[in-house]
Amino acid sequence: MAMRIFNKSISDEEYLYQQLDPAKLPTHVAIIMDGNGRWAGKRKLPRVAGHREGAESVRTIVETAARLGIQHLTLFAFSTENWKRPKIEVRALMDLLMEFIRQEIATLKKNNIRFQMLGRSEGLHISVLEQIRKAELSTFQNTGLQLNIAINYSGRAEILDACRELAREVAEGRLQAADINDEVIANKLYTRAMPDPDLLIRTSGEMRVSNFLLWQIAYAEIYVTEKLWPDFRTAEFYQALLAYQKRDRRFGGISLLQDATAPR
Ligand code: FPP
């Protein structure tokens, strides 16, 4: 569909893009990519076909985020609970991840994108880990978009690992319990040195956070869309960003836009 603005025809996508305020883009966007299975089911295709089409959405959203100058993009690709899926689906997801990383390394390098995995390495096949480490090492110096892919990830496990590490440091006398604060904990998470997500997007209409970045999303704005992940492309991403730009973020305080003396 096209729109006519000032007598000039432009696409919906271009129209949405023009509404975006480049000065008010989120620094960190996190996405729960959901609905691949339903996308495939609607078309009477195997679930794997949905994941494959979902990988195309990943390519598009990474490209769009980099082009917009967003600094951090974190995608939930495989949770520690996903091992419970049928073996054939787990295998297909791992193959897709490896294929994506292998195919995209050159593009990531060319576009100054830094790649990092968030998650536990234990449990991942050595070939998957090698591919991940190779991509991490070869993009380490890049200064543009930081692309984090959560693989074998659980928010609770991440916090648990951080607690264990802090307890060890206290037991060994390297840290005082009284010195543990938000910053000390945040520095033990996979996301250390990254700002918390400003915007958390979830596709396919489910109203859950599903054990994703539990510590980090404390003040994230949540955007849920009915679109299934394989249908979530540039225009849908712009819509999410526009919704975010309309939010009034208060971080537990009061709105800077409101009169602080007005009755509430
Ligand atoms: C949820 O859909 C999606 C996943 C469990 C995996 C996400 C994986 C991809 C998008 C493909 C590969 C990833 C990368 C980074 C290249 P679902 O299967 O739970 O869908 P359903 O709820 O409709 O069954």
Side-chain angles (χ1 to χ4, degrees):
M1 206 173 87
M3 288 208 182
R4 289 194 78 78
I5 299 200
F6 303 126
N7 228 7
K8 193 167 141 247
S9 185
I10 58 167
S11 68
D12 283 358
E13 194 178 298
E14 182 60 23
Y15 176 73
L16 290 165
Y17 175 73
Q18 288 180 3
Q19 311 301 304
L20 281 173
D21 177 351
K24 278 174 67 187
L25 285 169
T27 304
H28 186 168
V29 178
I31 310 185
I32 302 176
M33 309 181 285
D34 196 11
N36 294 349
R38 273 162 283 171
W39 185 92
K42 278 185 172 181
R43 290 162 179 78
K44 305 210 182 332
L45 293 169
R47 292 177 58 79
V48 174
H51 296 315
R52 210 169 293 128
E53 196 58 28
E56 290 309 314
S57 291
V58 171
R59 282 193 180 84
T60 304
I61 298 308
V62 171
E63 193 267 322
T64 307
R67 184 167 39 77
L68 289 174
I70 288 172
Q71 287 166 34
H72 301 264
L73 176 67
T74 303
L75 306 175
F76 202 0
F78 194 90
S79 74
T80 49
E81 289 77 27
N82 287 152
W83 295 109
K84 290 186 256 171
R85 294 189 177 207
K87 261 201 180 108
I88 188 164
E89 186 175 342
V90 170
R91 179 70 204 255
L93 277 168
M94 289 296 154
D95 286 350
L96 262 176
L97 278 167
M98 289 224 294
E99 193 184 306
F100 174 84
I101 299 170
R102 197 169 34 237
Q103 283 180 353
E104 298 302 314
I105 273 188
T107 317
L108 297 178
K109 282 197 209 162
K110 199 176 95 206
N111 292 296
N112 196 22
I113 298 173
R114 181 175 169 188
F115 171 86
Q116 195 185 328
M117 169 193 145
L118 309 184
R120 272 189 180 160
S121 12
E122 301 89 68
L124 287 174
H125 194 276
I126 183 76
S127 55
V128 178
L129 267 182
E130 275 174 7
Q131 195 68 52
I132 289 169
R133 297 302 171 226
K134 196 170 150 200
E136 285 180 337
L137 271 174
S138 57
T139 61
F140 183 74
Q141 310 273 14
N142 293 349
T143 52
L145 173 73
Q146 168 139 7
L147 169 64
N148 306 303
I149 303 202
I151 305 170
N152 198 22
Y153 176 86
S154 146
R156 282 191 173 181
E158 180 182 30
I159 295 170
L160 182 68
D161 288 348
C163 291
R164 284 192 179 138
E165 172 65 16
L166 291 172
R168 210 172 301 126
E169 289 184 16
V170 171
E172 290 168 4
R174 288 185 282 135
L175 178 71
Q176 296 297 309
D179 291 337
I180 299 175
N181 55 26
D182 281 14
E183 200 189 332
V184 170
I185 296 174
N187 279 331
K188 295 287 179 209
L189 304 176
Y190 305 125
T191 48
R192 67 186 72 91
M194 282 179 220
D196 287 340
D198 306 289
L199 171 63
L200 172 67
I201 299 173
R202 181 167 190 147
T203 56
S204 93
E206 310 284 353
M207 302 284 184
R208 288 190 288 275
V209 291
S210 296
N211 205 3
F212 189 42
L213 302 173
L214 295 181
W215 175 274
Q216 298 89 335
I217 59 167
Y219 288 102
E221 293 296 325
I222 301 180
Y223 176 85
V224 177
T225 168
E226 291 295 326
K227 285 275 174 184
L228 305 175
W229 177 250
D231 293 327
F232 190 90
R233 299 288 164 101
T234 301
E236 288 72 27
F237 192 29
Y238 289 162
Q239 271 163 351
L241 295 170
L242 281 167
Y244 167 82
Q245 293 191 335
K246 291 197 184 104
R247 304 275 177 95
D248 173 23
R249 302 190 77 194
R250 295 193 294 275
F251 300 95
I254 55 165
S255 174
L256 295 174
L257 305 171
Q258 284 173 6
D259 174 3
T261 58
R264 289 168 61 81

